[in-house]
Amino acid sequence: MPGTKSSPKSFARSIAVVALFLAFVALSAGGQPQPAKPTAPSATATADRRDWWKNAVIYEIYPRSFQDSNGDGIGDLNGIDERLDYLKDLGVDAIWLSPVYPSPLVDFGYDISDYEAIDPKYGTLADFDRLVAQANKRHIRVIMDMVMNHTSDKHKWFIESRSSRSNPYRDWFVWRDGKGETATNKGAPPNNWQSYFGHSAWQWDEKTRQYYYHKFYIQQPDLNWDNPKVHDAFKDVVGFWLKRGVSGFRFDAITTLYEDPHLTDEGIVKDEDGNRKINAYGDPQLDDTKTNNLPGVHPVMQEMRATMDKFNSPAFPGTRVLIGETYLPNIGELVKQYGTPDKPEFQLPMDTQVGFINKLDVAAFRAKLNDVETKIGDNTPLLVFDNHDNPRIDARYGDGMHNVDIERVLATILFLSRGAALFYYGDEIGMKTTPPTRKEDVKDPIGVTGWPKEKGRDGERTPMQWDVRPNAGFTKGIPWLPIPPSAAKDNVEIEKSNANSLFAWYQRLIRMKKTNPTVAQGDNTMLDTANTKVLSWMRQTPGAPAVVVSVNFTADPQTVSLSVPGAGSKVTTLLKTPGSADPASLDKINLGPFGVYIGQVQ
Ligand code: GLC
Ligand code: CA
């Protein structure tokens, strides 16, 4: 049954589409977007730029693994610089860099010891400035990762904090007495809370005889966000990078900023038979209700957004963007992260509902995509299927036989849905999850604590596969993680020369997202909604032809018949799985195993 939907967003968007359409006309004439003249940008260009994030293609770079420029086996900023033309050719609008700040690297950069510098392993501030300038020249924006939940235990704030109970920084972190503590006995941890990385979230500190709280590694003490000085410190940090020309931030682990002040124990999760569930670290699984997604985070985000909105670079006009790492249980919780028009929070909190379904289940995808289209008001979705913390797409969705076809299906959902799209380096060439096979090779500490159930995150952080040279062109030295055997086949060099490769598919989808007004901004409506094998939807925007998309979630050929309200059944192909035939009409679209069809309705 064709879907009918009256969207509350339609009105605002139909005004915006006119401006966008004009911009597209200008773009298609010159092929590539032209930089706005810093002096007097036209009204249209400025409006377009301010809205850039609403249809943005954002690429996550794990800098250690992208490109090594100096032979030490670790990727670096100058390496990213060398690959900017690649990124431009792929068509990305922005790169998000996982942390490059000085760090003892226990959590590979997510344990920051100085927020206003670059770790020498990755380069210098001058390298950073050059990277931003070079990226901007190619119309690529740079987004920094920002970790506000915790610092490294080697950060000067924490070194001060742990030095004595009366130190002015004491209250910057979360210190509590043990339970049943005496002069000679440290007592038990204050409650049952656990670190996401295994075992108690409380670490005893002998010198000042208290426990400190850490949601992540022991070396990542949580900051105390009840302390206004912590807020001020981060406003400064955010300003420091905005002044250097970054286009926004991805706020790390943001839902864990606050904990229950009463230190109430978390509930223990039970399975269907009433037995306690045990996690990969051998601990009982807790319900996370006292340490995650507490409401205190909202005023902080409003404050950060207001701080960020004050900045705008004359050299590169456009709104700065706040992206949130927001793993949340449902759309109702996600929508809160946008804030309100008066008190905005994130422009782009990540929607992990769609991308981490982790199963090719048509009904689940349809329901979640419909949620993100109909339940977030005027806000913009940010879909994401992959990142540096989860096994790659192949491991979560692949069947081992049709992985590339399945990756085409998912990329189609990512880029042909409305909103911003985020993907992870290497997805575009089908990089495979390659976890260590021996405990002694593991680099990510959770892989040591959790072995063999939890092998850590090394498998999704292997070096980018550029070409057929030794070490896949990533380094002339010894790579910090081994190059997967699949690099011989799945690499940029080979895929770029093959018009039917996954890389070519990504590039075409991105181009379509940028140049077809309907794909850039049309509403999403699900079609053929009783079908359990094929997911179909249409995109519609006033003044431009509708676009229909069908993706086959099965290994068997399927045929669908679609109907678009108010349109005939004539359709012209925009893109389809290599080797498949053009349909005669919308009445009969044949799809091969995991086949994709994208067509424009006449
Ligand atoms: C986020 C990061 C992850 C890191 C954690 C602690 O989840 O993505 O890599 O380990 O926060 O900072
Ligand atoms: Ca290096």
Side-chain angles (χ1 to χ4, degrees):
M1 191 187 72
T4 45
K5 180 181 65 89
S6 79
S7 160
K9 297 175 288 280
S10 302
F11 178 67
R13 275 198 239 133
S14 45
I15 295 184
V17 77
V18 178
L20 240 163
F21 189 72
L22 292 175
F24 280 122
V25 171
L27 280 192
S28 14
Q32 287 299 328
Q34 294 304 308
K37 306 228 166 49
T39 38
S42 77
T44 312
T46 307
D48 180 32
R49 278 169 187 287
R50 284 182 191 283
D51 279 354
W52 71 273
W53 51 272
K54 292 189 178 172
N55 185 39
V57 174
I58 307 170
Y59 186 90
E60 180 190 355
I61 292 183
Y62 197 69
R64 279 184 90 70
S65 298
F66 199 57
Q67 177 67 61
D68 177 22
S69 72
N70 64 354
D72 67 356
I74 295 172
D76 42 50
L77 295 177
N78 289 339
I80 299 172
D81 208 336
E82 288 171 19
R83 297 298 184 178
L84 287 173
D85 286 333
Y86 167 77
L87 295 168
K88 182 182 160 74
D89 185 43
L90 180 57
V92 311
D93 297 298
I95 49 177
W96 146 33
L97 305 183
S98 284
V100 287
Y101 313 98
S103 164
L105 301 174
V106 172
D107 194 14
F108 295 104
Y110 285 94
D111 45 327
I112 299 172
S113 54
D114 181 353
Y115 286 85
E116 298 186 356
I118 297 291
D119 193 291
K121 288 207 170 56
Y122 300 127
T124 62
L125 268 176
D127 296 333
F128 180 81
D129 292 342
R130 193 169 46 245
L131 175 61
V132 172
Q134 289 297 325
N136 286 1
K137 217 189 242 174
R138 294 166 176 82
H139 312 284
I140 296 173
R141 294 164 166 88
V142 177
I143 292 169
M144 296 291 270
D145 218 309
M146 186 48 66
V147 184
M148 307 199 296
N149 178 65
H150 48 266
T151 68
S152 158
D153 63 346
K154 300 292 182 293
H155 194 291
K156 62 178 186 229
W157 301 335
F158 189 68
I159 293 174
E160 292 285 337
S161 184
R162 80 188 320 178
S163 68
S164 85
R165 288 202 188 193
S166 59
N167 185 282
Y169 285 92
R170 183 67 174 182
D171 198 30
W172 283 48
F173 293 84
V174 183
W175 292 99
R176 296 289 181 270
D177 292 335
K179 257 200 230 156
E181 190 193 338
T182 64
T184 50
N185 184 346
K186 64 182 183 178
N191 61 20
N192 76 343
W193 296 351
Q194 287 171 14
S195 159
Y196 281 142
F197 293 161
H199 312 324
S200 174
W202 296 98
Q203 177 69 12
W204 175 253
D205 201 57
E206 185 57 36
K207 179 148 190 234
T208 55
R209 300 194 58 79
Q210 271 191 316
Y211 284 88
Y212 69 84
Y213 175 71
H214 59 93
K215 185 72 182 170
F216 297 89
Y217 288 124
I218 290 169
Q219 298 88 344
Q220 294 171 302
D222 272 49
L223 283 152
N224 172 19
W225 279 88
D226 286 327
N227 183 344
K229 295 203 174 106
V230 170
H231 296 227
D232 292 343
F234 276 95
K235 283 192 236 164
D236 286 352
V237 166
V238 159
F240 176 88
W241 293 103
L242 289 171
K243 280 183 215 147
R244 298 197 101 87
V246 309
S247 294
F249 299 94
R250 173 260 189 191
F251 281 172
D252 179 74
I254 200 64
T255 60
T256 63
L257 233 48
Y258 282 89
E259 298 78 41
D260 169 33
H262 308 297
L263 302 189
T264 317
D265 273 351
E266 286 188 329
I268 291 173
V269 179
K270 304 226 168 115
D271 64 17
E272 288 139 16
D273 304 326
N275 300 318
R276 300 199 302 179
K277 274 198 182 171
I278 301 296
N279 67 22
Y281 310 104
D283 305 319
Q285 194 177 311
L286 303 183
D287 63 15
D288 218 20
T289 50
K290 308 292 175 197
T291 58
N292 189 20
N293 196 21
L294 272 68
V297 69
H298 295 291
V300 179
M301 289 311 107
Q302 290 157 17
E303 202 183 346
M304 289 299 157
R305 174 68 183 274
T307 305
M308 195 188 65
D309 283 349
K310 288 190 199 131
F311 286 84
N312 209 345
S313 142
F316 204 67
T319 307
R320 311 304 178 87
V321 68
L322 275 192
I323 298 172
E325 189 197 18
T326 40
Y327 290 98
L328 290 163
N330 54 54
I331 196 77
E333 289 303 312
L334 180 67
V335 76
K336 294 182 191 162
Q337 310 297 323
Y338 290 96
T340 61
D342 292 344
K343 291 184 175 171
E345 300 180 28
F346 290 105
Q347 285 109 320
L348 298 175
M350 289 179 200
D351 178 301
T352 57
Q353 309 276 308
V354 174
F356 292 87
I357 291 174
N358 294 345
K359 195 162 97 191
L360 287 177
D361 173 337
V362 176
F365 268 88
R366 187 179 290 130
K368 296 288 185 188
L369 285 164
N370 204 49
D371 273 357
V372 83
E373 182 64 10
T374 57
K375 297 186 181 155
I376 64 168
D378 275 342
N379 294 304
T380 301
L382 172 60
L383 295 189
V384 50
F385 280 83
D386 206 357
N387 60 34
H388 64 285
D389 291 326
N390 292 282
R392 283 183 178 270
I393 290 174
D394 68 306
R396 289 179 293 115
Y397 289 100
D399 68 352
M401 272 174 67
H402 306 87
N403 283 13
V404 173
D405 301 303
I406 292 170
E407 282 155 1
R408 273 200 192 93
V409 163
L410 298 178
T412 306
I413 297 173
L414 176 66
F415 296 115
L416 265 287
S417 297
R418 184 178 68 85
L422 170 59
F423 66 109
Y424 184 48
Y425 84 92
D427 283 349
E428 72 275 28
I429 51 168
M431 271 177 64
K432 295 186 174 49
T433 320
T434 316
T437 50
R438 307 181 312 170
K439 189 176 175 184
E440 55 268 41
D441 297 332
V442 174
K443 295 280 195 310
D444 181 17
I446 54 172
V448 178
T449 322
W451 192 271
K453 267 196 186 161
E454 168 62 72
K455 295 195 167 85
R457 296 163 292 179
D458 297 354
E460 54 266 24
R461 298 174 175 179
T462 57
M464 178 68 177
Q465 298 164 188
W466 294 106
D467 52 43
V468 297
R469 287 178 296 168
N471 296 324
F474 164 70
T475 180
K476 294 205 169 80
I478 299 163
W480 79 284
L481 280 177
I483 309 290
S486 55
K489 192 169 58 65
D490 304 332
N491 64 58
V492 170
E493 184 181 19
I494 291 182
E495 295 202 21
K496 271 191 121 170
S497 63
N498 173 1
N500 290 335
S501 67
L502 186 61
F503 174 86
W505 186 260
Y506 265 72
Q507 206 177 29
R508 286 187 193 126
L509 290 177
I510 294 172
R511 219 155 266 173
M512 200 186 297
K513 184 171 173 60
K514 297 278 124 188
T515 56
N516 180 309
T518 308
V519 177
Q521 98 155 43
D523 287 346
N524 259 28
T525 307
M526 293 293 141
L527 297 176
D528 193 23
T529 52
N531 197 323
T532 56
K533 310 246 158 81
V534 178
L535 182 72
S536 300
W537 67 99
M538 70 174 165
R539 307 289 309 280
Q540 276 179 310
T541 199
V547 170
V548 293
V549 188
S550 286
V551 295
N552 180 358
F553 272 30
T554 74
D556 301 316
Q558 305 289 343
T559 301
V560 291
S561 166
L562 303 178
S563 89
V564 170
S569 66
K570 242 184 118 204
V571 65
T572 42
T573 301
L574 293 174
L575 189 61
K576 59 189 170 137
T577 305
S580 58
D582 283 322
S585 81
L586 278 182
D587 299 334
K588 196 171 180 217
I589 300 174
N590 294 321
L591 299 158
F594 301 102
V596 176
Y597 180 75
I598 306 171
Q600 184 159 296
V601 182
Q602 297 305 295

